[in-house]
């Protein structure tokens, strides 16, 4: 790479650092250069492009980006991402992929992720995986800005925009109960029965809680949560140490540490399920880090390994108490 080209990329790095840090001093520290060097590099970039990138105001502080600066920032981020992709592509061809794979996911998917990430690490030992539990809006921004390589979330969501997707597994819901709840020798429970029990639930602002509230509304119930939290694990602890029950994705029932007498009952009437899928950026070139993860997802789809593991861990409704004649009604989630 020519010296001028290296300088141009460095100027892009300076630009992104200031835009993201919103502070010239912190941006200089992040780039491991002095502030005069960073400011000089950005000034040179403005001269080469012939437009101001940053708004000027009193003092030397950050005052925002010009309209041209906003666009240049987007292109600079894409340019640096493609430069990284070029290096990773060559490394991938030599079975020596290195670097950081950035994965965004919903918190409810945490028990499933180790299966996926283990397969990536086994195939590409030089890859470090950064898992971020964030909402769908943050996933959308991360994918658009090349700050995430892939995202794992529900396929019934449409607010991620037009992205490439593949289905990974089907999530079903269970009610986690303890002996304190007075429910024994049961393997399933209706949503209407669950609504009458003391519940610990996720916060109303969370996507998973919104979905559960919709199911309750469909059957004419509106239970009031006794405890609310953003942590599924905390809600599970509430069940183990108090009289409360909580609704969990069925695969959480196999997590270690559950007390004896704590078990998951399949939620029925209706049985609801949601498809979870892998999202990645829509472009002509699939970034190598994203492709490494997508290949694993496709392998799992082809073999059915992940779905078999999850279904093997989920309680079925076939062993309900005698006398129940009707089969559970199944409902797929809708956007």
């Amino acid at each position: 790479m020519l010296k001028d080209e290296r300088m141009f990329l460095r100027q892009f790095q300076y630009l992104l650092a200031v835009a993201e840090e919103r502070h010239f001093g912190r941006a200089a520290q992040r780039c491991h250069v002095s502030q005069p060097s960073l400011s000089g590099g950005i000034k040179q970039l403005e001269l080469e492009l012939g437009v101001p990138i940053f708004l000027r105001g009193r003092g030397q502080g950050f005052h925002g980006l010009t309209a041209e600066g906003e666009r240049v920032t987007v292109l600079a981020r894409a340019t640096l991402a493609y430069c990284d992709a070029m290096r990773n592509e060559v490394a991938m061809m030599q079975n020596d992929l290195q670097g950081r794979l950035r994965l965004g996911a919903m918190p409810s998917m945490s028990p499933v992720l180790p299966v996926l990430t283990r397969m990536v690490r086994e195939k590409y030992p030089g890859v470090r995986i950064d898992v971020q539990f964030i909402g769908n809006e943050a996933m959308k921004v991360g994918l658009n800005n090349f700050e995430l390589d892939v995202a794992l979330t529900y396929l019934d969501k449409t607010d991620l925009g037009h992205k490439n997707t593949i289905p990974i597994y089907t999530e079903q819901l269970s009610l986690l109960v303890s002996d304190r709840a007075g429910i024994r020798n049961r393997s399933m429970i209706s949503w209407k029965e669950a609504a009458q029990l003391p519940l610990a639930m996720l916060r109303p602002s969370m996507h998973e809680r919104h979905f559960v509230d919709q199911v309750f509304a469909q059957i004419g119930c509106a239970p009031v949560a006794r405890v609310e939290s953003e942590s599924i694990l905390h809600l599970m602890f509430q069940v183990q140490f108090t009289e409360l029950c909580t609704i969990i994705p069925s695969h959480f029932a196999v997590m270690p540490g559950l007390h004896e007498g704590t078990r998951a009952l399949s939620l029925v009437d209706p049985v609801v399920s949601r498809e979870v899928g892998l999202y990645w950026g829509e472009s002509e070139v699939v970034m190598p880090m994203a492709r490494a993860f997508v290949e694993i997802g496709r392998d799992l789809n082809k073999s059915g390994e992940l779905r078999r593991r999850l279904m093997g861990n989920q309680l079925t409704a076939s062993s309900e108490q005698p006398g129940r004649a009707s089969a559970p009604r199944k409902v797929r989630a809708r956007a």
Side-chain angles (χ1 to χ4, degrees):
M1 188 177 292
L2 298 177
K3 180 178 179 182
D4 288 347
E5 291 172 331
R6 288 197 302 268
M7 182 57 191
F8 208 63
L9 293 178
R10 191 174 302 117
Q11 291 167 345
F12 282 170
Q13 291 169 348
Y14 293 168
L15 167 60
L16 291 183
V18 176
E20 292 170 4
E21 297 291 340
R22 306 181 68 83
H23 191 278
F24 285 89
R26 289 196 299 269
Q29 292 177 352
R30 170 170 152 179
C31 295
H32 306 291
V33 297
S34 67
Q35 187 167 332
S37 295
L38 179 135
S39 298
I42 290 175
K43 184 63 177 178
Q44 185 61 34
L45 179 60
E46 290 179 318
L47 291 174
E48 290 175 359
L49 296 177
V51 294
I53 293 176
F54 290 101
L55 297 171
R56 264 61 179 185
R58 290 185 176 183
Q60 299 298 316
F62 178 83
H63 298 283
L65 291 157
T66 63
E68 296 86 353
E70 294 280 2
R71 185 58 184 160
V72 170
T73 300
V74 171
L75 296 173
R77 186 175 283 113
T79 299
L80 292 174
Y82 277 106
C83 286
D84 288 339
M86 179 174 60
R87 287 188 286 267
N88 289 335
E89 186 74 32
V90 173
M92 201 170 185
M93 293 174 66
Q94 298 173 336
N95 294 319
D96 189 31
L97 185 62
Q98 304 280 335
R100 188 164 59 112
L101 189 157
R102 301 156 302 174
L103 166 65
M106 300 290 282
S108 61
M109 294 152 198
S110 54
V112 179
L113 285 175
V115 177
L116 299 169
T117 56
R118 174 182 57 80
M119 296 180 72
V120 173
R121 291 185 294 105
E122 287 176 350
K123 190 170 184 179
Y124 303 105
V127 171
R128 306 183 313 278
I129 301 175
D130 178 7
V131 179
Q132 304 174 40
F133 290 111
I134 53 179
N136 282 287
E137 183 59 32
M139 290 186 206
K140 178 180 178 180
V141 172
L143 290 173
N144 289 342
N145 291 345
F146 301 95
E147 294 168 349
L148 287 177
D149 298 299
V150 289
L152 197 67
T153 188
Y154 300 104
L155 289 179
D156 63 344
K157 297 297 292 179
T158 59
D159 55 4
L160 288 190
H162 297 291
K163 298 288 185 295
N164 296 303
T165 64
I166 56 171
I168 296 294
Y169 68 93
T170 303
E171 179 184 281
Q172 293 187 351
L173 296 176
S174 296
L175 183 72
L176 190 70
V177 301
S178 70
D179 290 337
R180 294 183 183 85
I183 301 174
R184 296 178 181 271
N185 304 318
R186 298 277 299 269
S187 65
M188 69 180 186
I189 188 170
S190 71
W191 284 85
K192 188 159 288 188
E193 289 177 286
Q196 305 305 312
L197 296 173
L199 292 174
M201 302 177 74
L202 292 171
R203 296 189 191 282
S205 59
M206 300 184 70
H207 170 70
E208 294 94 334
R209 169 66 183 277
H210 181 65
F211 176 78
V212 167
D213 286 344
Q214 284 183 323
V215 178
F216 277 127
Q218 288 172 12
I219 61 170
C221 295
V224 177
R226 307 292 180 86
V227 172
E228 292 179 332
S229 172
E230 75 285 349
S231 168
I232 296 177
L233 288 179
H234 176 72
L235 298 181
M236 294 174 72
F237 285 131
Q238 288 284 346
V239 174
Q240 294 183 83
F241 295 107
T242 74
E243 82 290 358
L244 300 179
C245 308
T246 194
I247 296 169
I248 59 171
S250 298
H251 50 261
F252 270 79
V254 299
M255 294 186 64
L258 288 179
H259 289 184
E260 185 177 353
T262 304
R263 63 193 189 284
L265 309 181
S266 296
L267 278 163
V268 299
D269 295 334
V271 173
V272 294
S273 63
R274 289 182 290 179
E275 286 293 320
V276 174
L278 187 64
Y279 289 73
W280 67 98
E282 189 176 51
S283 64
E284 294 182 1
V285 179
V286 179
M287 298 300 185
M289 286 295 178
R291 189 163 75 247
F293 205 91
V294 170
E295 287 176 356
I296 298 300
R298 285 179 173 149
D299 288 344
L300 285 170
N301 264 346
K302 186 175 180 180
S303 67
E305 177 187 351
L306 183 58
R307 291 177 186 268
R308 283 196 302 271
R309 288 192 186 190
L310 293 178
M311 289 306 295
N313 292 333
Q314 291 173 0
L315 297 174
T316 64
S318 60
S319 59
E320 176 58 86
Q321 290 178 321
R324 191 175 188 94
S326 60
R329 178 165 55 96
K330 292 187 177 181
V331 178
R332 288 279 182 176
R334 296 182 179 179

